[in-house]
Amino acid sequence: MLVIASRTPPAAPQSAPAPRLSYLVFRLERRIRAHLDDSLARHGVTTTEYMALSELRTRDGLSSAELARIAFVTPQAMNLVIRDLERRGLIRRDPHPAGGRVLCARLTSEGVSVLQRCDGSLDDIETVMLAKVDATMRGTLREGLTLCARALRTGAHLDTH
């Protein structure tokens, strides 16, 4: 009698799970940061300085403490950044209208000029990064990332088990 061994078909390869969105955002942020650090250094500006200058363009008159919260750095670190930007003539600081010891940072014309040159570098990075992303997806991406950032703003409640 002839016995034929039955073979179990090989298991289908399991596909790897899709990467977590937070991981993809982190990976993208690290890549942007590496390119941005290199590009901004050519203009004599650090990424933190660029963030501060950009924020002052949007909201003139912020204090060093406000800029520190926005840039996710300590107030002490931002104080050093602000003092250096002021020493280089890129910003000036004026007393707060309500008085007290708070100083309000404002861009100077030289600061605007440096910021515009730095913006060109960021434009170049974004051109490469978004080359295969159409306008509709760019809008969706912008809206989605904005919603995600607002959801995790400082003070948002997270259930950490």
Side-chain angles (χ1 to χ4, degrees):
M1 174 172 213
L2 181 62
V3 176
I4 300 176
S6 69
R7 294 183 58 189
T8 305
Q14 289 185 337
S15 62
R20 297 181 68 94
L21 287 174
S22 54
Y23 170 74
L24 293 173
V25 170
F26 173 77
R27 194 171 75 184
L28 176 60
E29 187 274 335
R30 299 307 304 162
R31 289 183 180 172
I32 291 171
R33 181 70 188 253
H35 288 285
L36 194 55
D37 287 347
D38 289 344
S39 294
L40 294 176
R42 290 185 217 123
H43 300 290
V45 175
T46 67
T47 301
T48 303
E49 290 171 341
Y50 176 74
M51 288 177 67
L53 293 171
S54 294
E55 199 59 42
L56 289 172
R57 173 176 46 201
T58 305
R59 295 189 288 167
D60 191 46
L62 294 174
S63 70
S64 182
E66 291 169 317
L67 286 167
R69 282 190 291 280
I70 292 164
F72 299 103
V73 298
T74 65
Q76 296 84 355
M78 185 54 73
N79 257 335
L80 294 174
V81 168
I82 292 299
R83 277 192 272 172
D84 188 52
L85 292 173
E86 186 177 33
R87 181 187 57 76
R88 291 165 41 204
L90 303 181
I91 65 166
R92 72 173 198 279
R93 293 192 289 175
D94 301 320
H96 192 280
R101 295 179 11 187
V102 176
L103 296 174
C104 300
R106 303 186 189 296
L107 286 174
T108 64
S109 58
E110 179 62 20
V112 170
S113 177
V114 168
L115 187 54
Q116 289 171 340
R117 287 193 303 271
C118 291
D119 286 343
S121 292
L122 190 56
D123 290 343
D124 294 343
I125 293 167
E126 287 186 0
T127 296
V128 172
M129 178 179 73
L130 297 169
K132 295 183 180 180
V133 180
D134 67 27
T136 301
M137 187 171 287
R138 287 179 191 199
T140 301
L141 184 60
R142 182 176 288 110
E143 289 172 25
L145 291 173
T146 300
L147 288 172
C148 290
R150 285 183 186 153
L152 292 177
R153 73 190 179 283
T154 303
H157 174 72
L158 297 176
D159 183 11
T160 57
H161 302 280

